[in-house]
Amino acid sequence: MHSTIPHFTQRQLRYLVALEETQHFREAAESCGISQPSLSVQIKTLEDSLGLPLVERGRGPVRLSLAGREVARRAREILEMGQGILDLTVTLKSGLGGTIRLGTSTTLGPYLMPYVVTELHDTHPDLRLYIREAAPRDLLRELQDGMHDLILTQLPVN
């Protein structure tokens, strides 16, 4: 038995979420910057692709079916993750971002880290910094084990 995977777009998911929020095809279309017939076609295409009715059509406010509400809930998550990817690419293009795991010795950390952290937050606001203090030999082992991206400790270090 060969099954087909339903195809849908982020745009269709965004339209479904807008429809749930506004409970009106015209208002959802306006909020998405498209015509009401175009939104209706995209919602119907999404329903056909998934093989489920997502919208209860009738008089009054538009209501999503049980399946429609669940798809809309997950659609929000997908759209948020998609926006997270876009935000990440902007950060990565513009400079340092993401998370750095830094190990530092107890003798250096308290003296240097306030300056390092302040400078990093000022110059790279999207950077997350996790700092762990430990003895130099433990830091070296943890660096080799992948627990840290870099360590700050006194010399000599092999």
Side-chain angles (χ1 to χ4, degrees):
M1 181 102 192
H2 183 73
S3 65
T4 60
I5 298 173
H7 293 353
F8 53 86
T9 66
Q10 280 191 349
R11 179 172 287 136
Q12 289 169 330
L13 297 179
R14 191 174 70 230
Y15 295 166
L16 180 66
V17 168
L19 187 57
E20 182 183 45
E21 290 172 355
T22 62
Q23 298 182 342
H24 196 278
F25 276 95
R26 183 183 49 75
E27 291 174 20
E30 286 175 4
S31 75
C32 294
I34 62 169
S35 69
Q36 184 272 323
S38 294
L39 183 117
S40 295
V41 166
Q42 289 300 314
I43 295 294
K44 180 65 174 137
T45 302
L46 179 60
E47 288 178 316
D48 292 346
S49 178
L50 298 176
L52 291 168
L54 302 176
V55 179
E56 295 175 358
R57 290 168 174 85
R59 293 211 174 271
V62 173
R63 297 187 57 189
L64 299 189
S65 66
L66 177 61
R69 289 190 303 271
E70 186 60 28
V71 170
R73 183 185 69 77
R74 292 177 186 219
R76 273 190 191 80
E77 294 172 7
I78 290 169
L79 295 170
E80 286 173 10
M81 285 191 273
Q83 186 60 50
I85 290 171
L86 294 176
D87 294 345
L88 174 64
T89 60
V90 168
T91 298
L92 294 174
K93 286 178 186 176
S94 66
L96 195 55
T99 303
I100 293 180
R101 300 167 302 166
L102 172 66
T104 183
S105 65
T106 56
T107 56
L108 292 177
Y111 302 102
L112 295 178
M113 293 319 299
Y115 302 106
V116 171
V117 170
T118 300
E119 180 69 21
L120 282 173
H121 281 297
D122 288 347
T123 57
H124 305 287
D126 294 325
L127 178 69
R128 288 186 305 267
L129 185 62
Y130 292 105
I131 303 169
R132 181 180 182 301
E133 288 186 349
R137 71 179 175 281
D138 293 334
L139 291 173
L140 283 170
R141 181 180 39 76
E142 292 169 351
L143 180 66
Q144 292 168 341
D145 291 344
M147 188 173 173
H148 303 295
D149 296 311
L150 65 125
I151 61 172
L152 177 64
T153 188
Q154 58 273 20
L155 295 173
V157 174
N158 294 330

